[in-house]
Amino acid sequence: MLSNPTTTQKTPQQRQPVNVPAVLLVLPALIYLIVTTQLPFLMTVYYSFFKWNLTIPGDRPFIGLSNYLSLFTDSQNLHVILNTIVLMLSVVVLTVVIGGAVAMLLNRRFLGRGIVRTLFISSFLVMPVVTAVVWKNMLMNPVFGFFGWVSQQLGLPVVDYLSTYPMQSIITMVTWEWTPFAALILLTGLQGIPEEQLEAARLDGCNPLQEFWYVIIPNWMKSLEVVILLETIFLMQVYGEIYTATSGGPGISTTTIPYFIYQKAFAEYNIGLASAAGVIAVLFTNLVASVMLRIIGRNIQGGRA
């Protein structure tokens, strides 16, 4: 017997009343979040419409979208945006590839696996400034760095990596930091693959490459999306490594949007342009995060269906 669909719909009288005590308990936390997160962003949007330099505090004319137009028409500013995208995409790709390979190694049984896992994650716990100091002074320094010493021992010319390959050096540092994060998330995904699927693939005659492509990769999709989403958000904020290792140079070859905002706000005191760059960074990060969350949500719903 089919039920009448009209009887299953809730009438307004059947809706649950508002739980006033619960709302009053949540309200202070909600107000705190709005004051500490949304008000600063709204003030940044407001300042982005003005030509405001702190060296002339009394002169603050309204210029509309000129700061935004400057960001997208000036060749140097476009180079900064390109640097940010190159750094973000390069690190995401490298950490996923290297982290995936490491995760597959750590998923195998061997003596001391727990210790290796603990040591492997240590680079992710090091502060960005410390990472930059170590790589700049102990590894990449052409006079007393480790790489220079190895080159001398092999009879090769010593390379000043931070001057010759500045962006590649920054990418290497950030990749070294974030590879353990990707590896751990992907290792979790590997451990969630049913052993029966792997055994069935082997019984069907799959070689290791086919097993990786047809069994591991499909089961890895959710973990990959989490890694790409979180890394994209956090890599948009890379600042400490650039400030410590290259200060955005040589020239603007390693200047990204966060360091550009710092330069404009605290070196040139150009609050209007720095605010516009900050708004663009927030919008871009939210756009990427929204797209990735939609993809993740769609896959989760597809997996439940």
Side-chain angles (χ1 to χ4, degrees):
M1 179 178 178
L2 298 175
S3 61
N4 187 357
T6 57
T7 60
T8 60
Q9 294 178 353
K10 290 185 177 180
T11 62
Q13 290 76 12
Q14 292 175 320
R15 291 176 183 168
Q16 293 183 351
V18 177
N19 190 339
V20 177
V23 172
L24 291 177
L25 286 173
V26 173
L27 194 58
L30 183 62
I31 294 174
Y32 174 78
L33 282 176
I34 292 174
V35 170
T36 56
T37 61
Q38 302 307 310
L39 283 184
F41 178 68
L42 292 177
M43 291 184 67
T44 305
V45 174
Y46 172 76
Y47 289 137
S48 68
F49 296 125
F50 292 88
K51 183 181 180 181
W52 186 25
N53 195 303
L54 290 181
T55 57
I56 317 173
D59 185 19
R60 193 173 65 185
F62 178 80
I63 58 173
L65 298 174
S66 296
N67 285 324
Y68 293 96
L69 294 176
S70 172
L71 282 174
F72 291 105
T73 54
D74 187 280
S75 60
Q76 287 196 344
N77 296 342
L78 289 175
H79 192 71
V80 169
I81 295 174
L82 181 64
N83 282 345
T84 308
I85 296 173
V86 168
L87 174 64
M88 194 166 55
L89 293 180
S90 302
V91 174
V92 167
V93 171
L94 288 172
T95 52
V96 166
V97 173
I98 301 173
V102 173
M104 296 189 71
L105 291 174
L106 292 179
N107 195 40
R108 297 179 178 276
R109 296 183 182 278
F110 59 88
L111 183 63
R113 185 173 64 169
I115 297 174
V116 173
R117 286 181 181 178
T118 305
L119 291 176
F120 182 69
I121 198 176
S122 59
S123 64
F124 185 62
L125 305 177
V126 178
M127 290 185 292
V129 173
V130 177
T131 298
V133 169
V134 169
W135 277 85
K136 178 181 180 181
N137 297 324
M138 298 179 66
L139 297 176
M140 292 183 172
N141 191 290
V143 178
F144 46 81
F146 176 74
F147 296 155
W149 176 81
V150 171
S151 298
Q152 287 179 342
Q153 300 305 311
L154 298 175
L156 300 174
V158 177
V159 179
D160 187 353
Y161 292 95
L162 289 173
S163 298
T164 311
Y165 308 107
M167 180 53 80
Q168 292 89 335
S169 301
I170 295 295
I171 290 172
T172 304
M173 294 179 195
V174 182
T175 300
W176 181 78
E177 278 185 283
W178 281 89
T179 296
F181 170 78
L184 287 179
I185 299 294
L186 295 176
L187 177 62
T188 306
L190 271 179
Q191 292 175 340
I193 298 176
E195 189 63 29
E196 293 80 8
Q197 289 189 15
L198 296 172
E199 291 180 0
R202 290 163 193 157
L203 289 174
D204 288 341
C206 288
N207 58 39
L209 185 60
Q210 290 172 324
E211 181 182 316
F212 174 78
W213 185 255
Y214 292 110
V215 180
I216 294 178
I217 288 291
N219 284 284
W220 242 356
M221 291 309 295
K222 292 186 179 66
S223 300
L224 285 171
E225 288 163 0
V226 170
V227 170
I228 293 171
L229 170 66
L230 295 180
E231 285 197 356
T232 303
I233 293 173
F234 285 101
L235 291 175
M236 188 72 186
Q237 306 167 19
V238 169
Y239 169 80
E241 298 88 342
I242 296 172
Y243 177 84
T244 307
T246 62
S247 298
I252 58 169
S253 57
T254 57
T255 300
T256 57
I257 291 178
Y259 192 78
F260 176 82
I261 295 171
Y262 160 76
Q263 280 186 319
K264 295 301 173 185
F266 299 106
E268 301 177 13
Y269 305 109
N270 189 342
I271 302 300
L273 189 59
S275 299
V279 172
I280 294 298
V282 170
L283 293 179
F284 180 74
T285 306
N286 278 281
L287 176 66
V288 174
S290 300
V291 171
M292 292 305 301
L293 285 174
R294 281 179 180 274
I295 295 173
I296 292 172
R298 192 185 310 151
N299 283 345
I300 290 176
Q301 289 175 358
R304 288 174 178 171

